[in-house]
Amino acid sequence: MEKSTFNPASVFNSLQYGFSQAVEVRGGRRLLLSGQVGVDEQERTVGPGLREQTEQAFDNIASVLAAAGGQMADVVMLRIYIAEAARDQQEHISAVLLERFASQPPASSWIIVSGLSLPEWLIEVEAEAVLEEQHQVATAALFNSARAL
């Protein structure tokens, strides 16, 4: 799988907010993740703040990706739904994106919504990822093992 990001000078500098203007992907398996919110594995909301809910949503994304054989670097698109109540706190989202996607950040859309499924939820993040083909992963592991001999 090959991934390239595009951030032309003719549009605003989205990299400062932690996302790219466009991502091109060639090869691989497309993985579409359901929206992730700031809840832990026991379905408890992790806290009242946007920062902690955003961190948990991205932890959940990382867990789902890992179960499918992927990682955060495989994410190519995010759709971020922000509750109206957190409209003025979006810098927390940027901070998390800058931490989680230090190089080649995904493209993204940020959408303000009146609310989410539960009133305490402030953010929901959908992700699209492109992962290596299964046979490519197995071949790469075999090649690396052989090279070590």
Side-chain angles (χ1 to χ4, degrees):
M1 188 257 310
E2 290 183 48
K3 180 171 88 170
S4 302
T5 57
F6 298 90
N7 295 289
S10 58
V11 296
F12 78 94
N13 176 13
S14 62
L15 292 174
Q16 68 183 320
Y17 302 112
F19 65 94
S20 292
Q21 292 292 340
V23 176
E24 177 185 32
V25 180
R26 289 177 297 286
R29 300 180 292 136
R30 185 174 179 205
L31 185 68
L32 305 172
L33 282 70
S34 292
Q36 299 296 317
V37 295
V39 299
D40 63 19
E41 62 276 359
Q42 280 84 43
E43 297 184 43
R44 294 180 300 223
T45 302
V46 295
L50 182 60
R51 174 69 188 233
E52 57 215 329
Q53 288 188 27
T54 302
E55 288 174 346
Q56 183 65 51
F58 280 98
D59 287 347
N60 295 344
I61 289 168
S63 293
V64 174
L65 287 168
Q71 57 188 345
M72 293 298 280
D74 297 324
V75 174
V76 297
M77 179 67 189
L78 298 169
R79 275 172 294 290
I80 303 172
Y81 301 93
I82 306 156
E84 177 67 40
R87 173 188 286 272
D88 296 332
Q89 303 169 43
Q90 294 180 50
E91 69 277 0
H92 295 298
I93 300 167
S94 290
V96 173
L97 290 175
L98 289 165
E99 290 169 8
R100 303 290 175 116
F101 302 103
S103 67
Q104 288 195 312
S108 73
S109 295
W110 298 27
I111 304 107
I112 302 294
V113 296
S114 60
L116 296 166
S117 292
L118 293 180
E120 65 266 23
W121 292 351
L122 301 174
I123 188 166
E124 183 167 346
V125 183
E126 293 177 1
E128 290 186 38
V130 178
L131 285 60
E132 295 289 338
E133 291 290 345
Q134 290 291 349
H135 70 276
Q136 290 174 336
V137 172
T139 302
L142 180 61
F143 177 74
N144 288 334
S145 296
R147 189 171 42 183
L149 296 175

